[in-house]
């Protein structure tokens, strides 16, 4: 397969390295708004740097015509436009979340995909993590009994660059959207109502961007299960992503291992890990590889799409509801959010 990849920043280069090792990939075409950055990534991965336009027209695409599929890892503001171009060109697309930073942009991009009848897979990598997969099986098989409580944690070890914050969409859309997606995927339930709050008492750059550095949400699922989701950009102990699921019969945890940056305060309890997780690329490396392998099989027509654009829309709507709740200090029913 000839695979085009747009956006050669940190996650784009990581994906390029994964694709360069995949046995189904014969040619890797790398494009970026910064041609020099694309050239650098091509040199590191054995790919070929090409203009962005060349991926859609076939011109200058390493002399072999357009790619068989496209992976989008560009700046978020470019996602919707690139998805639409790929759809009109009939190219299957894998896109890092989100589709767009708002609901109108998301719905417009989805309309392009649906009108073209093309493939769009979104990058919610937690669906491909072994722990979350086991949790899903435990819930669906009834091993926990009636599920009554779910807790999720997403904690970054350090804030992102200040320039990123105004472009990120905020903590709910950029970070907690992963928790909202995996909550639906593991439990098989929909969120019916949210109540959310946030704190901007950390670094001043969050206040300046109109964002929060720490957030919490209480989510009521459609069967009455209660879920809490917390996130922070300022977790100095390390990268911490976990999910706890408690039922009438048993409870389990995802993300609890010898690298979880958590120290027991109990005498004789577990101490700090010797090598805590430093970031998302290290923690979820196998999941990122699995999701790209799945996309290549989807593009070849060998399996169903594991996370299409409508799935991403559901998670974004929950994030939107949380933003409304935070601003207005009230519970928000999901029926209030367009796009359902």
């Amino acid at each position: 397969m000839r695979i085009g990849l747009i956006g050669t920043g940190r996650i784009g280069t990581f994906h390029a390295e994964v694709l360069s090792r995949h046995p189904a990939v014969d040619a890797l075409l790398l494009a970026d708004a910064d041609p020099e950055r694309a050239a650098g990534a091509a040199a590191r991965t054995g790919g070929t740097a090409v203009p962005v336009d060349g991926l859609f027209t076939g011109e200058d695409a390493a002399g072999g015509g357009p790619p068989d599929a496209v992976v989008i890892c560009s700046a978020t503001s470019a996602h919707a436009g690139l998805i639409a171009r790929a759809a009109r060109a009939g190219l299957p697309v894998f896109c890092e979340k989100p589709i767009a930073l708002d609901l109108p942009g998301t719905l417009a991009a989805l309309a392009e995909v649906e009108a073209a009848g093309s493939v769009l897979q979104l990058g919610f990598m937690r669906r491909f993590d072994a722990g979350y997969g086991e949790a899903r099986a435990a819930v669906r098989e009834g091993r926990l009994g009636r599920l009554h409580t779910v807790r999720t944690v997403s904690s970054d070890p350090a804030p992102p660059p200040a320039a990123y914050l105004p472009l990120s969409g905020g903590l709910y859309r950029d970070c907690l959207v992963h928790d909202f997606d995996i909550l639906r995927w593991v439990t098989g339930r929909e969120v019916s109502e949210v109540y959310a709050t946030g704190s901007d008492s950390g670094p001043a750059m969050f206040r300046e961007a109109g964002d929060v550095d720490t957030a919490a949400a209480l989510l009521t699922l459609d069967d009455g299960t209660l879920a809490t989701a917390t996130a922070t950009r300022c977790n100095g102990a390390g990268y911490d992503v976990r999910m706890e699921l408690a039922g009438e019969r048993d409870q389990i945890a995802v993300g609890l291992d010898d690298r979880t940056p958590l120290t027991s305060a109990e005498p004789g309890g577990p101490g700090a890990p010797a090598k805590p997780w430093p970031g998302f690329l290290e923690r979820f490396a196998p999941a990122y590889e699995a999701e790209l392998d799945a996309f290549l099989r989807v593009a070849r027509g060998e399996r169903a799409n594991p996370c299409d654009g409508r799935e991403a829309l559901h998670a974004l709507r929950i994030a939107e509801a949380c933003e409304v709740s935070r601003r207005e200090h009230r519970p928000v029913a999901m029926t209030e959010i367009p796009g359902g």
Side-chain angles (χ1 to χ4, degrees), residues 180-239:
F180 303 149
D181 175 72
I182 206 65
L183 177 65
R184 296 181 60 252
W185 188 77
V186 167
T187 66
R189 312 304 308 190
E190 298 295 343
V191 174
S192 60
E193 184 181 83
V194 310
Y195 186 82
T197 188
S199 170
D200 62 2
S201 61
M205 63 182 182
F206 289 96
R207 293 186 291 279
E208 293 164 0
D211 196 5
V212 294
D213 58 81
T214 302
L218 172 63
L219 307 104
T220 303
L221 306 190
D222 57 11
D223 65 346
T225 300
L226 297 180
T228 59
T230 64
T232 184
R233 302 285 198 185
C234 305
N235 194 58
Y239 182 74

Side-chain angles (χ1 to χ4, degrees), residues 279-295:
F280 63 91
L281 290 179
E282 295 82 4
R283 165 67 177 84
F284 288 108
Y288 280 117
E289 295 200 20
E291 73 174 355
L292 285 177
D293 177 74
F295 172 63

Side-chain angles (χ1 to χ4, degrees), residues 1-83:
M1 297 180 71
R2 290 167 56 80
I3 303 298
L5 183 146
I6 305 172
T8 53
R10 180 168 59 159
I11 189 63
T13 299
F14 182 89
H15 284 333
E17 291 170 349
V18 170
L19 291 167
S20 72
R21 300 190 298 267
H22 198 286
V25 177
D26 303 311
L28 185 59
L29 312 175
L30 304 180
D32 196 288
D34 180 349
E36 290 186 5
R37 189 162 68 170
R44 289 192 296 275
T45 62
T48 301
V50 301
V52 173
D53 287 345
L55 289 179
F56 300 106
T57 65
E59 299 173 3
D60 300 318
D68 299 305
V70 172
V71 174
I72 298 174
C73 310
S74 62
T76 297
S77 59
H79 286 186
L82 291 171
I83 288 169

Side-chain angles (χ1 to χ4, degrees), residues 71-169:
V71 174
I72 298 174
C73 310
S74 62
T76 297
S77 59
H79 286 186
L82 291 171
I83 288 169
R85 290 188 70 181
R88 292 193 290 268
L91 296 173
V93 172
F94 173 93
C95 184
E96 278 298 329
K97 61 83 192 166
I99 294 173
L101 287 178
D102 57 22
L103 282 171
T106 298
L107 292 169
L110 289 178
E112 292 270 9
V113 171
E114 291 166 5
S118 59
V119 170
L120 171 61
Q121 179 182 328
L122 265 291
F124 283 107
M125 77 291 187
R126 296 186 195 181
R127 293 181 177 219
F128 298 88
D129 176 77
Y132 285 107
E134 174 60 21
R136 186 177 195 259
V139 172
R140 302 303 180 89
E141 293 167 10
R143 283 184 256 153
L144 306 184
R146 181 186 67 85
L147 190 66
H148 52 73
T149 307
V150 183
R151 309 174 191 92
T152 72
V153 174
S154 288
S155 300
D156 289 332
Y164 173 75
L165 293 179
L167 309 175
S168 71

